[in-house]
Structures are given as structure tokens and as C-alpha cells.
Amino acid sequence: MPDPTNLAAFGILDPEPIDTSPAREPLVAQVGDQLIVFPTDWPQCVAADSGKRRCRGAVAGVEGYEGWEDYYVPELDGKVCALLTSWEDSLILQRCEKHAEKDAKTLLAPEWVYFNPADHASLVRRQYRRIIWTPAGLRKSTGHSTPVARHQPALDDKLAELLIKAAELRATPPTVTTALYRYYDAQDRLLYVGITDNLIGRTMDHVQRSSWSEFATRATIERYPTRKEADEAERAAITAERPLFNAQYQDTPETHRRLVEYLIEQGRTDLLVAKVSRG
């Protein structure tokens, strides 16, 4: 029986097994100012493993990845959720850590392609124009006063006066800040700590991908003026507060044991597999 204090025995710290089924969603990654797209949701190594068989390893760098952010596509006036990487070389070469050396035998060419708005439009979430209620009626925020409805709701004098006053005020757009967030379970135990510049997008990503999201009942948010300050605060929070599901900054036997004990308590030992997502 595997040692329950060693998550590697359960495959949790190993790369996800590769499934090249065409039903899986493509992966979009951001390398510098360029988006690249893989045919499946995680790139598989292109090197030869044993004999003429393709390596089954997933492409990943030593430092892993930083997270997911929305990338604006002006051609389609929409956003695509892209993986931010800190391991561009292995990603472009499409090599796992085992075959990171360039002289390792290549079985086939890397399968990624440059993001093309025409070819990858299905991956883009279109922007919805905001509807603005003005004294003249409902308008789209397109830069032009284009009516969006033939029948406009009647405005009383007080509301019309307030809208005119609001239009005369010069509002200053908020400064973009980085959020440091914490998720807790029903017993107020800290599950996860993270940072993001796009809180809505990152929250949706956690709901869809993170195994701990089903245990979360509340969250707290702190704002920092720069990404660097938020990163330092995140490191300090993880080190001091020891969230259950963060692997970064606390990859220790004690952390592994606490996570296994928690999943046993929750009756979710099915999560002790490589498929589990801790972030």
C-alpha cells in the first residue's frame, strides 16, 4: 500500500496523463505577446521515449505555470482565457522535463500553432456592449448614440436630472490592481491562497478546474497596487497560514499529510489521483 504522506505515490504531484482524444478542449498559452494554441488541453511531449513510441509525458517547466488570464483579441472584440507560462523554451520545443535536451530524438514536430482569430474564433468570448440609461433613452456604449430599443422606458424628472448630473461628472477609471484572495471551507479552514489581475476570470477558472472549489464557502480579497507586492504578500500568506491545497512554497511531507487527512475527512479519497487540481 502506498505511503499516504507521499502524494507522489498517488500521482498528485505527477504530470496529468495525456489524453489525445479530439473531444478535449484546445489549450491556449501566452508566450510573451503571442498566443499559441495546442490541439488538446495539455501539450504532450514530441520526443521518442522507448523505441519508436512517443513519450507520454506532459510538457511542463521546473517552475510550472503562473495562472490563467484573459487576453484581449481586438479583431473579435473579445477575450480568450490563456495560460501564462514561465517555461517558454520547453513549451515551444514541446518537450517534457525528461526530454528537455534539444538533442533528444524527436518523433514528430511540435503541434502548436499561432493563434489566429479567424481559425480560433470559437475560443474567444465576445464582449457584450454595456447598455447605458441616459436622459434620451437606452443607448449602447459603442461610442455612437445608437438606440437599442424602439420603445424607451419613461424617465421621471428626478431620474432625468440625476442622469444629466452624472453625465457632467468626470469619473476617473479605477487603477488596475492585483487581488490577493483566500478561500475557506465551512469550518473556516484555509483552502487556497492566490493572486490575479482578473478576479472574475480566475474565479471561473477555479470553479471549473480546482478540486477544492466544492469545499469553499467564503472568500476574502485584498488589493495591491502592483503584481510584485501581491506576489510577496501571497508568498508570506502561504508560508504563514499554510493553506491546504497550495503546493507552491510549502512542498513538505507535513503539507502532504494534512491534505490527505482533509480529503479522507471529506470522504473524497477519489481525489487522490493525478487528475486532482490544486490550483
Side-chain angles (χ1 to χ4, degrees):
M1 178 176 179
D3 178 1
T5 65
N6 180 9
L7 295 193
F10 293 93
I12 289 182
L13 301 182
D14 293 335
E16 286 192 30
I18 300 299
D19 178 0
T20 55
S21 166
R24 302 183 77 174
E25 291 294 324
L27 168 72
V28 181
Q30 182 179 347
V31 178
D33 296 327
Q34 177 67 54
L35 293 183
I36 61 176
V37 182
F38 293 88
T40 56
D41 67 349
W42 200 261
Q44 180 182 349
C45 182
V46 297
D49 196 350
S50 57
K52 295 183 179 180
R53 300 179 63 179
R54 181 179 180 182
C55 173
R56 298 283 293 174
V59 175
V62 175
E63 299 179 3
Y65 61 86
E66 297 178 4
W68 301 81
E69 297 288 351
D70 279 339
Y71 189 99
Y72 180 66
V73 183
E75 295 88 345
L76 298 175
D77 191 21
K79 296 180 180 179
V80 59
C81 189
L83 173 68
L84 298 177
T85 67
S86 58
W87 32 277
E88 287 85 353
D89 290 343
S90 60
L91 190 69
I92 294 296
L93 294 174
Q94 204 168 324
R95 299 294 189 95
C96 67
E97 291 186 42
K98 176 182 176 182
H99 297 110
E101 297 298 329
K102 297 181 181 180
D103 56 356
K105 185 177 179 182
T106 300
L107 190 65
L108 71 165
E111 299 167 290
W112 60 266
V113 297
Y114 286 111
F115 179 87
N116 185 311
D119 297 333
H120 303 111
S122 62
L123 303 177
V124 177
R125 302 193 310 274
R126 297 300 177 89
Q127 295 283 81
Y128 290 95
R129 298 297 190 180
R130 288 187 302 162
I131 304 302
I132 300 176
W133 203 359
T134 72
L138 291 177
R139 306 289 177 183
K140 282 184 179 178
S141 61
T142 58
H144 303 285
S145 298
T146 306
V148 296
R150 178 173 297 177
H151 303 290
Q152 305 291 357
L155 304 180
D156 59 36
D157 292 341
K158 182 62 176 178
L159 179 55
E161 179 182 341
L162 288 172
L163 289 170
I164 292 173
K165 180 180 179 180
E168 292 173 348
L169 295 174
R170 294 187 176 274
T172 302
T175 302
V176 176
T177 59
T178 299
L180 169 68
Y181 56 88
R182 295 173 174 85
Y183 281 94
Y184 298 85
D185 70 1
Q187 285 71 47
D188 221 29
R189 288 173 291 192
L190 183 59
L191 298 173
Y192 189 82
V193 176
I195 60 173
T196 183
D197 296 330
N198 177 12
L199 191 58
I200 294 176
R202 187 63 172 137
T203 300
M204 292 304 298
D205 178 54
H206 281 313
V207 170
Q208 295 171 2
R209 297 174 179 269
S210 299
S211 59
W212 53 260
S213 64
E214 65 180 271
F215 309 126
T217 59
R218 75 178 183 92
T220 62
I221 301 169
E222 298 175 16
R223 300 282 183 174
Y224 289 85
T226 66
R227 181 90 183 188
K228 181 180 179 181
E229 291 179 66
D231 185 69
E232 293 172 352
E234 177 193 36
R235 179 190 291 267
I238 292 173
T239 303
E241 301 169 37
R242 302 189 304 160
L244 285 161
F245 283 83
N246 283 86
Q248 192 177 29
Y249 306 136
Q250 57 167 1
D251 188 11
T252 65
E254 180 189 2
T255 302
H256 299 169
R257 175 184 56 77
R258 291 174 60 237
L259 176 57
V260 173
E261 289 177 345
Y262 183 82
L263 293 175
I264 291 174
E265 176 189 330
Q266 301 299 320
R268 293 306 308 276
T269 53
D270 57 302
L271 295 177
L272 293 175
V273 294
K275 199 72 176 175
V276 67
S277 170
R278 299 173 69 180

